[in-house]
Amino acid sequence: MTEAIHAQLDTAHQALADGRVMEARNAYARASALSREAGAHLLQARALAHLAEIDLGARRPDAALAHADQAAALYRAHDGWTALDLARVLRLAARALDELRHDSEAALRWNQARDLFQAAGDTAAVAECEGRLGDPAG
């Protein structure tokens, strides 16, 4: 089953590279569903994170937040993720919350993401988070 999941992730990646966003979204959604069925939690989280990115780009912050929150919950519930994995989905959730104008919730996610990016040594991402914390409008 993981071969099918990776095939969907590859299809989605290529579709995005070619500018076929809806095809990519569909492939990421299939990858997420297959991963859930297979109990491949980290692959599911990865697919959900990509769905959150696509939803943000489509100005669908509610959907983006739901996908990012699901991904974060999967990372937190299972071993094998990195600080960068979780930081990236927290950043997606924070961006969605900013768009929804949920400032206090967004600030919490930006702080959590910043701390994880700092632990991972990603100074550019730390600066982005600090900038967002200083300017909620981003």
Side-chain angles (χ1 to χ4, degrees):
M1 169 99 51
T2 58
E3 288 180 25
I5 298 165
H6 284 289
Q8 289 300 318
L9 291 171
D10 291 344
T11 296
H13 179 76
Q14 188 59 54
L16 270 184
D18 294 342
R20 295 176 281 126
V21 178
M22 286 310 298
E23 184 179 330
R25 190 182 195 297
N26 291 338
Y28 282 128
R30 286 191 299 272
S32 175
L34 289 171
S35 298
R36 184 179 54 252
E37 290 171 20
H41 307 294
L42 298 182
L43 289 175
Q44 183 184 5
R46 180 175 157 200
L48 288 165
H50 285 292
L51 285 169
E53 287 179 299
I54 290 170
D55 289 335
L56 279 171
R59 300 207 182 277
R60 296 181 50 210
D62 288 317
L65 180 59
H67 288 127
D69 281 348
Q70 277 184 282
L74 286 165
Y75 283 136
R76 287 179 171 137
H78 302 282
D79 295 330
W81 53 273
T82 68
L84 284 175
D85 293 329
L86 183 56
R88 288 177 182 138
V89 296
L90 290 171
R91 176 173 51 194
L92 291 168
R95 287 177 52 206
L97 287 162
D98 279 344
E99 287 190 33
L100 293 167
R101 303 206 188 291
H102 295 211
D103 297 338
S104 61
E105 291 177 66
L108 176 65
R109 305 290 173 83
W110 284 117
N111 274 304
Q112 292 170 340
R114 180 199 57 210
D115 293 348
L116 289 165
F117 281 128
Q118 199 160 35
D122 188 335
T123 56
V126 170
E128 176 194 2
C129 293
E130 289 176 348
R132 291 293 190 126
L133 286 163
D135 179 14

